[in-house]
Coordinates of all heavy atoms in Angstrom, one line a residue:
M1 N 1.6 21.1 -6.1 CA 1.9 19.7 -5.9 C 1.1 18.8 -6.8 O -0.1 19.0 -7.0 CB 1.5 19.4 -4.4 CG 1.9 18.0 -4.0 SD 1.5 17.8 -2.2 CE 0.9 16.2 -2.2
T2 N 1.7 17.9 -7.4 CA 1.1 17.0 -8.3 C 0.3 15.9 -7.5 O 0.7 15.6 -6.4 CB 2.1 16.3 -9.2 OG1 3.0 15.5 -8.4 CG2 2.8 17.3 -10.1
E3 N -0.8 15.5 -8.1 CA -1.6 14.5 -7.4 C -0.9 13.1 -7.5 O -0.6 12.7 -8.6 CB -3.0 14.4 -8.1 CG -4.0 13.6 -7.4 CD -4.5 14.2 -6.1 OE1 -4.4 15.4 -5.9 OE2 -4.8 13.5 -5.2
M4 N -0.7 12.5 -6.4 CA -0.1 11.1 -6.3 C -1.1 10.1 -5.9 O -2.0 10.4 -5.1 CB 1.1 11.1 -5.4 CG 2.3 12.0 -5.9 SD 3.7 11.9 -4.7 CE 4.2 10.2 -4.9
S5 N -1.1 9.0 -6.5 CA -2.0 8.0 -6.1 C -1.6 7.3 -4.7 O -0.4 7.3 -4.4 CB -2.1 6.9 -7.1 OG -0.9 6.2 -7.3
Y6 N -2.6 6.9 -4.0 CA -2.3 6.3 -2.7 C -3.2 5.1 -2.5 O -4.2 5.0 -3.1 CB -2.4 7.3 -1.5 CG -3.8 7.9 -1.4 CD1 -4.8 7.2 -0.7 CD2 -4.1 9.1 -2.0 CE1 -6.1 7.7 -0.6 CE2 -5.4 9.6 -1.9 CZ -6.4 8.9 -1.2 OH -7.6 9.4 -1.1
L7 N -2.8 4.3 -1.5 CA -3.6 3.2 -1.1 C -4.3 3.5 0.2 O -3.9 4.4 0.9 CB -2.8 1.9 -0.9 CG -1.9 1.6 -2.1 CD1 -0.8 0.6 -1.7 CD2 -2.7 1.0 -3.2
D8 N -5.4 2.9 0.6 CA -6.0 3.2 1.9 C -5.3 2.5 3.0 O -4.5 1.6 2.8 CB -7.5 2.9 1.9 CG -7.9 1.5 2.0 OD1 -7.3 0.8 2.8 OD2 -8.9 1.1 1.4
G9 N -5.5 2.9 4.2 CA -4.8 2.5 5.4 C -4.9 1.0 5.7 O -4.1 0.5 6.5
N10 N -5.9 0.3 5.1 CA -6.0 -1.1 5.3 C -4.7 -1.9 4.9 O -4.4 -2.9 5.4 CB -7.2 -1.7 4.5 CG -8.5 -1.4 5.2 OD1 -8.6 -1.6 6.4 ND2 -9.4 -0.8 4.5
M11 N -4.0 -1.3 3.9 CA -2.8 -2.0 3.5 C -1.7 -2.0 4.5 O -0.7 -2.7 4.4 CB -2.3 -1.4 2.1 CG -1.6 -0.1 2.2 SD 0.1 -0.1 2.6 CE 0.8 -1.2 1.4
L12 N -1.8 -1.1 5.6 CA -0.8 -1.1 6.7 C -1.0 -2.3 7.6 O -0.1 -2.6 8.4 CB -1.0 0.2 7.5 CG -0.6 1.5 6.8 CD1 -1.0 2.6 7.7 CD2 0.9 1.5 6.6
D13 N -2.1 -3.0 7.5 CA -2.4 -4.1 8.4 C -1.2 -5.2 8.4 O -0.7 -5.5 9.5 CB -3.7 -4.8 8.1 CG -4.1 -5.9 9.1 OD1 -3.9 -5.6 10.3 OD2 -4.4 -7.0 8.7
G14 N -0.8 -5.7 7.3 CA 0.2 -6.7 7.2 C 1.5 -6.2 7.7 O 2.1 -6.8 8.7
P15 N 2.1 -5.1 7.2 CA 3.3 -4.6 7.7 C 3.3 -4.3 9.2 O 4.3 -4.6 9.9 CB 3.6 -3.3 6.9 CG 2.9 -3.5 5.7 CD 1.6 -4.3 6.0
L16 N 2.2 -3.7 9.8 CA 2.2 -3.4 11.2 C 1.9 -4.6 12.0 O 2.4 -4.7 13.2 CB 1.1 -2.3 11.5 CG 1.5 -0.9 11.0 CD1 0.3 0.0 11.3 CD2 2.7 -0.4 11.7
R17 N 1.3 -5.6 11.5 CA 1.0 -6.9 12.2 C 2.4 -7.6 12.5 O 2.5 -8.3 13.5 CB 0.1 -7.8 11.4 CG -0.5 -8.9 12.3 CD -1.4 -9.7 11.5 NE -2.7 -9.0 11.2 CZ -3.8 -9.2 11.7 NH1 -3.9 -10.2 12.6 NH2 -4.9 -8.5 11.5
E18 N 3.4 -7.3 11.7 CA 4.7 -7.8 11.9 C 5.3 -7.3 13.2 O 6.1 -7.9 13.9 CB 5.6 -7.5 10.8 CG 6.5 -8.6 10.3 CD 7.4 -8.2 9.2 OE1 7.2 -7.2 8.5 OE2 8.3 -9.0 8.9
L19 N 4.9 -6.0 13.5 CA 5.5 -5.3 14.7 C 4.6 -5.6 15.9 O 5.1 -5.7 17.0 CB 5.6 -3.8 14.5 CG 6.6 -3.3 13.5 CD1 6.5 -1.8 13.4 CD2 8.0 -3.7 13.9
F20 N 3.3 -5.5 15.7 CA 2.3 -5.6 16.8 C 1.5 -6.9 16.7 O 1.2 -7.3 15.6 CB 1.4 -4.4 16.8 CG 2.1 -3.1 17.0 CD1 2.4 -2.3 15.9 CD2 2.5 -2.6 18.2 CE1 3.0 -1.1 16.0 CE2 3.2 -1.4 18.3 CZ 3.4 -0.7 17.2
A21 N 1.2 -7.5 17.8 CA 0.4 -8.7 17.8 C -1.1 -8.5 17.7 O -1.8 -9.4 17.7 CB 0.7 -9.5 19.0
V22 N -1.5 -7.3 17.5 CA -3.0 -7.0 17.4 C -3.2 -6.4 16.1 O -2.4 -5.8 15.4 CB -3.4 -6.0 18.5 CG1 -3.3 -6.7 19.9 CG2 -2.7 -4.7 18.5
D23 N -4.5 -6.4 15.6 CA -5.0 -5.8 14.4 C -5.1 -4.3 14.6 O -5.9 -3.9 15.4 CB -6.3 -6.5 14.0 CG -6.9 -5.8 12.7 OD1 -6.2 -5.0 12.1 OD2 -8.1 -6.1 12.5
L24 N -4.3 -3.6 13.9 CA -4.3 -2.1 14.0 C -5.2 -1.4 13.0 O -5.3 -0.2 13.1 CB -2.9 -1.5 13.9 CG -2.0 -1.8 15.1 CD1 -0.6 -1.2 14.9 CD2 -2.6 -1.3 16.4
S25 N -5.8 -2.1 12.1 CA -6.6 -1.4 11.1 C -7.8 -0.7 11.7 O -8.3 0.3 11.2 CB -7.1 -2.4 10.0 OG -8.0 -3.4 10.6
T26 N -8.3 -1.1 12.9 CA -9.4 -0.5 13.5 C -8.9 0.5 14.7 O -9.7 1.1 15.3 CB -10.4 -1.5 14.1 OG1 -9.8 -2.3 15.0 CG2 -11.1 -2.3 13.0
A27 N -7.6 0.5 14.9 CA -7.1 1.4 15.9 C -7.4 2.9 15.5 O -7.4 3.2 14.3 CB -5.6 1.2 16.0
M28 N -7.6 3.7 16.4 CA -7.9 5.1 16.1 C -6.7 6.0 16.4 O -6.0 5.8 17.5 CB -9.1 5.6 17.0 CG -10.4 4.8 16.8 SD -11.0 5.0 15.2 CE -11.7 6.6 15.3
G29 N -6.4 6.9 15.6 CA -5.2 7.8 15.8 C -5.7 9.2 15.6 O -6.6 9.6 14.9
R30 N -4.9 10.1 16.3 CA -5.2 11.5 16.2 C -4.1 12.2 15.5 O -2.9 12.1 15.9 CB -5.4 12.1 17.6 CG -5.7 13.6 17.6 CD -6.0 14.2 18.9 NE -6.3 15.6 18.8 CZ -6.2 16.5 19.7 NH1 -5.9 16.1 21.0 NH2 -6.5 17.7 19.5
C31 N -4.4 13.0 14.5 CA -3.4 13.8 13.7 C -2.9 14.9 14.6 O -3.6 15.7 15.1 CB -4.1 14.4 12.5 SG -3.0 15.4 11.5
E32 N -1.5 15.0 14.6 CA -0.9 16.0 15.5 C -1.1 17.4 14.8 O -1.2 18.4 15.6 CB 0.6 15.7 15.6 CG 1.2 16.2 16.8 CD 2.3 17.3 16.5 OE1 2.8 17.3 15.4 OE2 2.6 18.0 17.4
N33 N -1.3 17.4 13.5 CA -1.4 18.7 12.9 C -2.8 19.3 12.9 O -2.9 20.5 13.3 CB -1.0 18.6 11.4 CG -0.9 19.9 10.7 OD1 -0.2 20.8 11.1 ND2 -1.6 20.0 9.6
C34 N -3.8 18.6 12.6 CA -5.2 19.2 12.5 C -6.1 18.6 13.6 O -7.2 19.1 13.7 CB -5.8 18.9 11.1 SG -6.3 17.3 10.8
G35 N -5.7 17.6 14.3 CA -6.5 17.1 15.4 C -7.6 16.1 15.0 O -8.4 15.6 15.8
M36 N -7.7 15.8 13.7 CA -8.7 14.8 13.3 C -8.4 13.5 13.9 O -7.3 13.0 14.0 CB -8.6 14.7 11.7 CG -9.8 13.9 11.2 SD -9.4 12.9 9.7 CE -8.4 11.5 10.5
V37 N -9.4 12.8 14.4 CA -9.3 11.5 14.9 C -10.0 10.5 13.9 O -11.2 10.7 13.5 CB -10.0 11.4 16.3 CG1 -10.0 9.9 16.8 CG2 -9.3 12.3 17.3
G38 N -9.3 9.5 13.5 CA -9.9 8.5 12.6 C -9.1 7.2 12.7 O -8.1 7.1 13.3
S39 N -9.7 6.2 12.0 CA -9.1 4.9 12.0 C -7.8 4.8 11.2 O -7.7 5.6 10.2 CB -10.1 3.8 11.5 OG -10.3 4.0 10.1
M40 N -7.0 3.9 11.5 CA -5.8 3.7 10.7 C -6.1 3.4 9.2 O -5.4 3.7 8.3 CB -4.9 2.5 11.3 CG -4.4 2.8 12.6 SD -3.1 4.1 12.6 CE -1.8 3.2 11.9
A41 N -7.3 2.7 9.1 CA -7.7 2.3 7.7 C -8.1 3.5 6.9 O -8.1 3.5 5.6 CB -8.9 1.4 7.8
S42 N -8.3 4.7 7.5 CA -8.7 5.9 6.7 C -7.5 6.6 6.2 O -7.7 7.6 5.4 CB -9.6 6.8 7.6 OG -8.8 7.4 8.6
L43 N -6.3 6.3 6.7 CA -5.1 7.0 6.3 C -4.8 6.8 4.8 O -5.2 5.8 4.2 CB -3.9 6.6 7.1 CG -4.0 6.8 8.6 CD1 -2.7 6.3 9.3 CD2 -4.2 8.3 8.9
H44 N -4.2 7.8 4.2 CA -3.8 7.7 2.8 C -2.3 7.2 2.8 O -1.4 7.9 3.2 CB -3.9 9.0 2.1 CG -5.3 9.5 1.9 ND1 -5.6 10.8 1.4 CD2 -6.5 8.9 2.3 CE1 -6.9 10.9 1.4 NE2 -7.5 9.8 2.0
V45 N -2.1 6.0 2.2 CA -0.8 5.4 2.3 C 0.0 5.5 1.0 O -0.6 5.1 -0.1 CB -0.9 3.9 2.7 CG1 0.5 3.3 2.8 CG2 -1.6 3.8 4.1
F46 N 1.2 6.0 1.0 CA 2.0 6.2 -0.2 C 3.1 5.2 -0.1 O 3.9 5.2 0.9 CB 2.5 7.6 -0.3 CG 1.4 8.6 -0.5 CD1 0.7 9.1 0.6 CD2 1.0 9.0 -1.8 CE1 -0.3 10.0 0.4 CE2 0.0 9.9 -2.0 CZ -0.7 10.4 -0.9
S47 N 3.3 4.3 -1.1 CA 4.3 3.3 -1.0 C 5.4 3.5 -2.0 O 6.3 2.7 -2.2 CB 3.7 1.9 -1.3 OG 3.0 1.9 -2.5
H48 N 5.4 4.7 -2.7 CA 6.5 5.0 -3.6 C 7.8 5.4 -3.0 O 8.8 5.4 -3.6 CB 6.1 6.2 -4.6 CG 4.6 6.3 -4.9 ND1 3.9 5.3 -5.6 CD2 3.7 7.2 -4.5 CE1 2.6 5.6 -5.6 NE2 2.5 6.7 -5.0
A49 N 7.7 5.9 -1.7 CA 8.9 6.3 -1.0 C 9.6 5.1 -0.5 O 9.1 4.0 -0.5 CB 8.5 7.2 0.2
P50 N 10.9 5.3 0.0 CA 11.5 4.1 0.8 C 10.6 3.8 2.0 O 10.4 4.7 2.8 CB 12.8 4.7 1.2 CG 13.1 5.9 0.3 CD 11.7 6.4 0.0
G51 N 10.0 2.7 2.0 CA 9.1 2.4 3.1 C 7.7 2.9 2.8 O 7.4 3.3 1.7
L52 N 6.8 3.0 3.8 CA 5.4 3.4 3.7 C 5.3 4.8 4.4 O 5.7 4.9 5.5 CB 4.5 2.4 4.3 CG 4.6 1.0 3.7 CD1 3.8 0.0 4.5 CD2 4.1 1.0 2.3
I53 N 4.5 5.7 3.8 CA 4.2 7.0 4.4 C 2.7 7.0 4.4 O 2.0 6.9 3.4 CB 4.7 8.1 3.5 CG1 6.2 8.0 3.2 CG2 4.3 9.5 4.1 CD1 7.1 8.3 4.4
A54 N 2.1 7.2 5.6 CA 0.7 7.3 5.8 C 0.3 8.8 6.2 O 0.9 9.3 7.2 CB 0.2 6.4 6.9
R55 N -0.5 9.4 5.4 CA -0.9 10.8 5.6 C -2.3 10.9 6.1 O -3.2 10.1 5.8 CB -0.8 11.5 4.3 CG 0.7 11.7 3.8 CD 0.8 12.5 2.5 NE 2.2 12.7 2.2 CZ 2.9 13.8 2.6 NH1 2.4 14.7 3.4 NH2 4.2 13.9 2.2
C56 N -2.6 12.0 6.8 CA -3.9 12.3 7.3 C -4.9 12.5 6.2 O -4.5 13.3 5.2 CB -3.8 13.6 8.2 SG -5.4 14.2 8.7
P57 N -6.1 11.9 6.2 CA -7.0 12.1 5.1 C -7.6 13.6 5.1 O -8.1 14.0 4.1 CB -8.1 11.1 5.3 CG -8.0 10.8 6.7 CD -6.6 11.0 7.1
S58 N -7.4 14.3 6.2 CA -8.0 15.6 6.3 C -7.0 16.7 5.8 O -7.3 17.5 5.0 CB -8.4 15.9 7.7 OG -8.9 17.2 7.9
C59 N -5.8 16.7 6.4 CA -4.8 17.8 6.1 C -3.6 17.3 5.3 O -2.8 18.1 4.9 CB -4.4 18.4 7.4 SG -3.2 17.4 8.4
E60 N -3.5 16.0 5.1 CA -2.4 15.4 4.3 C -1.0 15.4 4.9 O 0.0 15.1 4.3 CB -2.3 16.0 2.9 CG -3.5 15.6 2.0 CD -3.7 14.1 1.7 OE1 -2.7 13.4 1.6 OE2 -4.8 13.6 1.6
E61 N -1.0 15.8 6.2 CA 0.3 15.8 6.9 C 0.7 14.3 7.2 O -0.2 13.4 7.3 CB 0.3 16.5 8.3 CG 0.5 18.0 8.2 CD 1.8 18.4 7.7 OE1 2.8 17.8 8.2 OE2 1.9 19.2 6.7
V62 N 2.0 14.0 7.3 CA 2.4 12.6 7.5 C 2.1 12.3 9.0 O 2.5 13.0 9.9 CB 4.0 12.5 7.3 CG1 4.5 11.1 7.7 CG2 4.3 12.8 5.8
M63 N 1.4 11.2 9.2 CA 1.1 10.7 10.5 C 2.0 9.5 10.9 O 2.2 9.2 12.1 CB -0.4 10.3 10.7 CG -1.3 11.5 10.6 SD -3.0 11.1 10.8 CE -3.1 10.3 12.4
L64 N 2.4 8.7 9.9 CA 3.2 7.5 10.2 C 4.1 7.2 9.1 O 3.8 7.4 7.9 CB 2.1 6.3 10.3 CG 2.6 4.9 10.6 CD1 1.6 4.1 11.3 CD2 2.9 4.2 9.3
R65 N 5.3 6.8 9.5 CA 6.3 6.3 8.5 C 6.8 4.9 9.0 O 7.0 4.7 10.2 CB 7.6 7.2 8.5 CG 7.3 8.6 8.0 CD 8.6 9.4 8.2 NE 8.4 10.8 7.8 CZ 7.9 11.8 8.7 NH1 7.6 11.4 9.9 NH2 7.7 13.0 8.3
L66 N 6.9 4.0 8.1 CA 7.3 2.6 8.4 C 8.3 2.2 7.4 O 8.0 2.1 6.2 CB 6.1 1.7 8.5 CG 6.4 0.2 8.8 CD1 7.1 0.0 10.1 CD2 5.2 -0.7 8.7
V67 N 9.5 1.9 7.8 CA 10.5 1.4 6.9 C 11.0 0.0 7.4 O 11.3 -0.2 8.6 CB 11.8 2.3 6.8 CG1 12.9 1.7 6.0 CG2 11.3 3.7 6.3
R68 N 10.9 -0.9 6.5 CA 11.3 -2.3 6.8 C 12.6 -2.6 6.2 O 12.8 -2.6 5.0 CB 10.2 -3.3 6.3 CG 10.5 -4.8 6.5 CD 10.5 -5.2 7.9 NE 10.3 -6.6 8.1 CZ 11.2 -7.5 8.1 NH1 12.5 -7.2 7.9 NH2 10.9 -8.8 8.3
G69 N 13.7 -2.9 7.0 CA 15.0 -3.4 6.5 C 15.0 -4.9 6.6 O 14.0 -5.5 7.0
P70 N 16.1 -5.5 6.1 CA 16.2 -6.9 6.1 C 16.0 -7.6 7.5 O 15.4 -8.6 7.6 CB 17.6 -7.2 5.6 CG 18.2 -5.9 5.2 CD 17.3 -4.8 5.6
D71 N 16.5 -6.9 8.6 CA 16.4 -7.5 9.9 C 16.0 -6.5 11.0 O 16.1 -6.8 12.1 CB 17.8 -8.1 10.3 CG 18.9 -7.1 10.3 OD1 18.7 -5.9 9.9 OD2 20.0 -7.4 10.9
Q72 N 15.4 -5.4 10.6 CA 14.8 -4.4 11.5 C 13.9 -3.5 10.9 O 13.8 -3.4 9.6 CB 15.9 -3.7 12.2 CG 16.9 -3.0 11.3 CD 18.1 -2.5 12.1 OE1 18.0 -2.1 13.3 NE2 19.3 -2.5 11.4
A73 N 13.0 -2.8 11.7 CA 12.0 -1.9 11.1 C 12.1 -0.6 11.9 O 12.4 -0.6 13.1 CB 10.7 -2.5 11.2
W74 N 11.8 0.5 11.3 CA 11.7 1.8 11.9 C 10.3 2.3 11.8 O 9.7 2.3 10.7 CB 12.6 2.8 11.2 CG 14.0 2.6 11.4 CD1 14.9 3.1 12.3 CD2 14.9 1.7 10.6 NE1 16.2 2.7 12.1 CE2 16.2 1.8 11.1 CE3 14.6 0.8 9.5 CZ2 17.2 1.1 10.5 CZ3 15.7 0.1 8.9 CH2 16.9 0.2 9.4
L75 N 9.7 2.6 13.0 CA 8.3 3.1 13.0 C 8.4 4.6 13.6 O 8.8 4.8 14.7 CB 7.4 2.2 13.9 CG 6.0 2.7 14.0 CD1 5.2 2.8 12.7 CD2 5.2 1.8 15.0
D76 N 7.9 5.5 12.8 CA 8.0 6.9 13.2 C 6.5 7.4 13.3 O 5.8 7.5 12.3 CB 8.7 7.7 12.1 CG 8.8 9.2 12.4 OD1 8.0 9.7 13.2 OD2 9.6 9.9 11.8
L77 N 6.1 7.7 14.5 CA 4.7 8.2 14.7 C 4.6 9.6 15.1 O 3.7 10.1 15.8 CB 4.0 7.3 15.8 CG 3.7 5.9 15.4 CD1 3.3 5.0 16.6 CD2 2.5 5.9 14.4
R78 N 5.7 10.4 14.7 CA 5.7 11.8 15.2 C 4.5 12.6 14.8 O 4.1 13.5 15.6 CB 6.9 12.5 14.5 CG 8.1 12.5 15.4 CD 9.2 13.2 14.7 NE 9.7 12.4 13.6 CZ 10.7 12.7 12.8 NH1 11.3 13.9 12.9 NH2 11.1 11.9 11.8
G79 N 3.8 12.3 13.7 CA 2.6 13.1 13.3 C 1.3 12.6 14.0 O 0.3 13.1 13.6
T80 N 1.5 11.6 14.9 CA 0.3 11.1 15.5 C 0.3 11.4 17.0 O 1.3 11.0 17.7 CB 0.2 9.5 15.3 OG1 0.3 9.2 13.9 CG2 -1.0 8.9 16.0
T81 N -0.7 12.1 17.5 CA -0.8 12.5 18.9 C -1.0 11.2 19.8 O -0.3 11.1 20.8 CB -1.9 13.5 19.2 OG1 -1.7 14.6 18.3 CG2 -1.9 13.9 20.6
F82 N -1.9 10.4 19.4 CA -2.1 9.1 20.1 C -2.6 8.1 19.2 O -3.1 8.4 18.1 CB -3.1 9.3 21.3 CG -4.5 9.6 20.9 CD1 -5.3 8.6 20.4 CD2 -5.0 10.9 21.1 CE1 -6.6 8.9 20.1 CE2 -6.3 11.2 20.7 CZ -7.1 10.2 20.2
L83 N -2.4 6.9 19.6 CA -3.0 5.7 18.9 C -3.8 4.9 19.9 O -3.2 4.5 20.9 CB -1.8 4.9 18.3 CG -2.1 3.9 17.2 CD1 -2.7 4.6 16.0 CD2 -0.8 3.2 16.8
Q84 N -5.1 4.8 19.6 CA -5.9 4.0 20.6 C -6.2 2.7 19.9 O -6.7 2.5 18.8 CB -7.3 4.8 20.7 CG -8.3 4.1 21.6 CD -9.6 4.8 21.6 OE1 -9.9 5.7 20.8 NE2 -10.5 4.5 22.5
V85 N -5.7 1.6 20.6 CA -5.6 0.3 20.0 C -6.7 -0.6 20.7 O -6.6 -0.8 21.9 CB -4.2 -0.3 20.2 CG1 -4.2 -1.7 19.6 CG2 -3.2 0.6 19.6
P86 N -7.6 -1.2 19.9 CA -8.5 -2.2 20.5 C -7.8 -3.4 21.0 O -6.9 -3.9 20.3 CB -9.5 -2.5 19.4 CG -8.8 -2.1 18.2 CD -7.8 -1.1 18.5
M87 N -8.1 -3.8 22.2 CA -7.4 -5.0 22.8 C -8.4 -6.0 23.2 O -9.6 -5.7 23.6 CB -6.6 -4.5 24.1 CG -5.5 -3.5 23.8 SD -4.2 -4.2 22.8 CE -3.4 -5.2 24.0
P88 N -8.0 -7.3 23.2 CA -9.0 -8.3 23.7 C -9.2 -8.1 25.2 O -8.3 -7.6 25.9 CB -8.2 -9.6 23.5 CG -6.8 -9.2 23.2 CD -6.8 -7.8 22.8
M89 N -10.4 -8.4 25.7 CA -10.8 -8.2 27.1 C -9.9 -9.0 28.0 O -9.6 -10.2 27.7 CB -12.3 -8.6 27.3 CG -12.8 -8.2 28.6 SD -13.0 -6.5 28.8 CE -14.6 -6.2 28.0
E90 N -9.4 -8.4 29.0 CA -8.5 -9.1 30.0 C -9.4 -10.1 30.7 O -10.5 -9.8 31.1 CB -7.9 -8.2 31.0 CG -6.7 -7.4 30.5 CD -6.1 -6.6 31.6 OE1 -6.8 -5.8 32.2 OE2 -4.9 -6.9 31.9
Q91 N -8.9 -11.3 30.9 CA -9.6 -12.3 31.7 C -9.4 -12.0 33.2 O -8.3 -11.8 33.6 CB -9.1 -13.7 31.4 CG -9.5 -14.2 30.0 CD -9.2 -15.7 29.9 OE1 -8.1 -16.1 30.2 NE2 -10.1 -16.4 29.4
A92 N -10.5 -11.9 33.9 CA -10.5 -11.7 35.4 C -9.8 -12.9 36.1 O -9.0 -12.7 37.0 CB -11.8 -11.5 35.9
H93 N -10.1 -14.1 35.6 CA -9.5 -15.3 36.3 C -9.0 -16.1 35.1 O -9.7 -16.9 34.5 CB -10.5 -16.0 37.1 CG -11.2 -15.2 38.1 ND1 -10.5 -14.8 39.3 CD2 -12.4 -14.6 38.2 CE1 -11.3 -14.0 40.0 NE2 -12.5 -13.9 39.4
P94 N -7.7 -16.0 34.8 CA -7.1 -16.8 33.8 C -7.4 -18.3 34.0 O -7.3 -18.8 35.1 CB -5.6 -16.6 33.8 CG -5.5 -15.3 34.7 CD -6.7 -15.2 35.5
S95 N -7.8 -19.0 32.9 CA -8.1 -20.4 33.1 C -6.8 -21.2 33.2 O -5.8 -20.8 32.6 CB -8.9 -20.9 31.8 OG -8.1 -20.6 30.7
P96 N -6.8 -22.2 34.0 CA -5.6 -23.0 34.2 C -5.3 -23.8 32.9 O -6.1 -24.1 32.1 CB -6.0 -24.0 35.3 CG -7.5 -24.1 35.3 CD -8.0 -22.7 34.8
L97 N -4.0 -24.0 32.7 CA -3.6 -24.8 31.6 C -3.9 -26.2 31.7 O -4.3 -27.0 31.4 CB -2.1 -24.6 31.4 CG -1.5 -23.2 31.1 CD1 0.0 -23.2 31.1 CD2 -2.0 -22.6 29.8
Ligands
ZN101 ZN1 -4.5 16.1 9.9

């Protein structure tokens, strides 16, 4: 296999922010293939394919595919066992408007 250049997972922040209202760069994901748990920012992102392909930095299996069409997006997380997303603390007593 020839060596291909990749970007780090921080570049997924913009495209994924379009889908999710939270910052996913610090979200933790588990590779389905090797079990490595790491941040989304640690993934190796290849942008030469149609859409974005994010590979595990440990075993290089595909963990995430994101394809953006003109009016819809496809997110494939088959290679990711789980995605742990940091969320803002829930307010116990929402403040009145
Ligand atoms: Zn892996």
